[in-house]
Amino acid sequence: MQPNEILLALSLSLLAGLLLSRLAKLAQLPAVTAYLIAGILIGPYVLGKLDVKGLGFTSIADVHKFALISEVALGFIAFSIGNEFRLSQLKKIGKQATIVGILQAVITTLLVDAALIGLHFAMPDKLPLPAAIILGAIASATAPAATLMVVKQYKAKGPVTDVLLPVVALDDAVGLILFAVSFGIAKAIEIGSISMVSILVEPLLEIVFSVGLGALMGFLFSLCERFFHSRSKRLAVSVGFVILTIALANFDFHIGSAHVKFSSLLVCMMLGTIFCNVCDFSEELMDRVDRWTAPLFVLFFVFSGAELRLGVFSDWMIVLIGVVYIIARSAGKYSGASLSSRLSKCDDNIVKYLGITLLPQAGVALGMANMAMGAAELGTQGVLIANITLFAVLIYEILGPMLTKIALMKAGEIDPEGKTSARHEHAKKMAKQREEAAQNSSAE
């Protein structure tokens, strides 16, 4: 793509997402859903079909040229989620969030494994056993981006929201372990030998090194911020450190026979966690970073929508396996969250509604699917896994944010009138200031 075409694509993506969000508001749908639909409309299967340069994306390859923006956006999303791990809050919900985060992921994987392995025995030539096992692990992953955007858009507050964000964050770590174990077992079935290094050692090292790198960068970030006093420079330092952390998280290395990689989501979450607990002015700075990243997040979801491959609907086998996967995963997330919440003695609303808010699925799951697709040992099974995951992501990303909004509204954590307008909030703030000024003048 030429520079002018890149600029046209960026501007079209941003404006299409924003304009469609106004229609979504009339239909009482979350803005995230509008951004994803906007991506589909300007993607290769709708406007892209016209093959007009600059008017939509003509191919998936064109969308992938903006992968850097999506990677940076995911880093900032993870950084924002890290802000939810304040020690003051973790003392209240840390134990509950940990129990729920681990158990719901494990239960989901076991349920999806059981459903897909049963389907394997019914049609072994269509769904091989290794593919069924890997899809079970992919099912554990939840999309932090869509969940966070719904919470922020509607300013959700309450017990469900307080537990939701730490649980979504934990999903990445738990999902990594489950996927690595399942991936190792699946490859062992195909080649006939088991590697304990790839099944246990590598995922544990990935988590340990990711947490370590994120913690180190968090302390350096907090130290560096103290050298600057203006808001604009502190914001610039914040943006620079998050991007630097994302860059460092892309390096990998070997320790003996173990191949060690970093999880950029975990690294950036830890960066945000350390910063918000160490820096005494972190809340104000986090708020400013959130405002700066708003256009970045819109682009991320529009690109995500453009990447969804509608062609998967043309294969009845993918649709059948995908439907079974979606039903089993939804049942696993709901029952797993409900059971684990009850065991950890959570609020009744958490027991009822948390599982519904965990349905969105996207980036982490697609990353796992791409890893499976790139494994030579799995052959064509990798493509099957990727297509089924794409089918599920397409459904979950469009319906998931809407279901999250409904669940949080039922739990009483979203204003039913949906008063989230910036203009309305500003008017209220100004009225309050005028009232305080009037009271001060009368007192004098």
Side-chain angles (χ1 to χ4, degrees):
M1 295 176 77
Q2 298 299 317
N4 63 319
E5 291 172 358
I6 292 172
L7 291 174
L8 276 171
L10 278 173
S11 59
L12 177 65
S13 300
L14 187 57
L15 293 173
L18 291 171
L19 290 172
L20 206 60
S21 71
R22 304 310 298 165
L23 294 176
K25 189 169 185 178
L26 295 176
Q28 296 187 329
L29 292 173
V32 178
T33 304
Y35 302 152
L36 289 163
I37 294 172
I40 292 172
L41 292 177
I42 65 172
Y45 295 93
V46 187
L47 276 180
K49 284 278 189 185
L50 300 175
D51 199 25
V52 178
K53 294 292 183 182
L55 183 64
F57 299 100
T58 56
S59 68
I60 293 294
D62 279 349
V63 185
H64 287 167
K65 289 173 183 175
F66 296 90
L68 183 62
I69 292 175
S70 297
E71 189 175 350
V72 171
L74 265 179
F76 276 100
I77 287 164
F79 177 66
S80 295
I81 290 175
N83 189 39
E84 303 302 321
F85 286 92
R86 293 182 180 271
L87 288 176
S88 56
Q89 191 177 1
L90 286 178
K91 286 176 183 176
K92 300 176 186 175
I93 60 159
K95 183 179 177 182
Q96 292 177 332
T98 303
I99 293 170
V100 174
I102 294 172
L103 277 183
Q104 58 83 21
V106 172
I107 289 170
T108 301
T109 294
L110 292 175
L111 262 179
V112 175
D113 271 341
L116 294 184
I117 289 171
L119 194 61
H120 157 73
F121 286 115
M123 37 190 273
D125 55 327
K126 301 292 184 183
L127 179 62
L129 183 59
I133 292 171
I134 291 173
L135 284 166
I138 291 174
S140 67
T142 298
T147 305
L148 181 68
M149 287 292 283
V150 172
V151 169
K152 284 187 174 181
Q153 181 188 353
Y154 295 101
K155 298 178 174 62
K157 288 182 181 178
V160 179
T161 306
D162 289 342
V163 172
L164 169 62
L165 293 175
V167 166
V168 169
L170 279 171
D171 246 17
D172 189 37
V174 179
L176 277 173
I177 295 173
L178 290 171
F179 177 75
V181 172
S182 300
F183 194 46
I185 292 170
K187 287 196 293 185
I189 291 171
E190 281 297 299
I191 63 178
S193 64
I194 296 176
S195 169
M196 295 307 293
V197 171
S198 62
I199 291 177
L200 293 177
V201 178
E202 287 184 357
L204 288 175
L205 286 176
E206 181 171 341
I207 291 169
V208 170
F209 278 96
S210 296
V211 169
L213 177 60
L216 174 63
M217 295 302 293
F219 282 114
L220 291 175
F221 180 22
S222 303
L223 179 66
C224 190
E225 285 285 8
R226 298 186 186 279
F227 290 102
F228 300 91
H229 303 288
S230 74
R231 291 179 176 180
S232 58
K233 287 181 180 176
R234 281 179 169 174
L235 176 60
V237 171
S238 303
V239 172
F241 250 93
V242 176
I243 294 174
L244 174 61
T245 304
I246 295 166
L248 292 175
N250 279 309
F251 286 96
D252 57 354
F253 55 94
H254 287 82
I255 298 179
S257 60
H259 180 210
V260 182
K261 297 181 294 182
F262 294 103
S263 164
S264 61
L265 279 177
L266 270 181
V267 174
C268 291
M269 280 179 202
M270 199 62 190
L271 173 74
T273 300
I274 295 297
F275 177 66
C276 76
N277 285 288
V278 172
C279 184
D280 52 6
F281 50 83
S282 62
E283 279 197 64
E284 180 199 348
L285 199 49
M286 284 283 195
D287 184 54
R288 292 179 67 80
V289 170
D290 283 344
R291 294 177 189 178
W292 182 86
T293 53
L296 193 63
F297 291 172
V298 174
L299 287 172
F300 169 75
F301 285 105
V302 172
F303 294 153
S304 296
E307 279 186 309
L308 297 177
R309 306 188 186 204
L310 304 185
V312 295
F313 286 112
S314 62
D315 190 333
W316 71 267
M317 180 187 70
I318 299 294
V319 173
L320 173 62
I321 300 171
V323 167
V324 173
Y325 172 91
I326 289 169
I327 293 171
R329 181 180 179 271
S330 301
K333 285 291 178 185
Y334 186 81
S335 61
S338 180
L339 176 62
S340 54
S341 300
R342 198 174 283 112
L343 286 174
S344 54
K345 298 179 181 178
C346 291
D347 184 272
D348 285 344
N349 277 342
I350 297 174
V351 175
K352 286 181 189 175
Y353 301 115
L354 181 65
I356 299 171
T357 65
L358 297 174
L359 293 181
Q361 188 175 45
V364 178
L366 290 173
M368 293 175 177
N370 286 337
M371 193 180 294
M373 191 163 60
E377 298 92 336
L378 296 176
T380 56
Q381 292 182 54
V383 177
L384 175 67
I385 292 166
N387 284 336
I388 291 166
T389 306
L390 278 168
F391 174 83
V393 164
L394 180 64
I395 303 300
Y396 277 127
E397 279 296 89
I398 291 176
L399 297 180
M402 183 171 57
L403 293 173
T404 298
K405 176 200 169 185
I406 292 169
L408 291 175
M409 192 172 282
K410 291 277 188 184
E413 300 188 12
I414 287 178
D415 179 2
E417 295 179 12
K419 291 180 180 177
T420 58
S421 167
R423 191 180 295 112
H424 174 78
E425 293 295 326
H426 179 69
K428 275 203 323 187
K429 185 178 178 181
M430 294 302 293
K432 186 177 179 182
Q433 287 176 355
R434 284 195 295 269
E435 185 181 341
E436 288 173 352
Q439 287 174 352
N440 291 336
S441 62
S442 61
E444 291 171 0

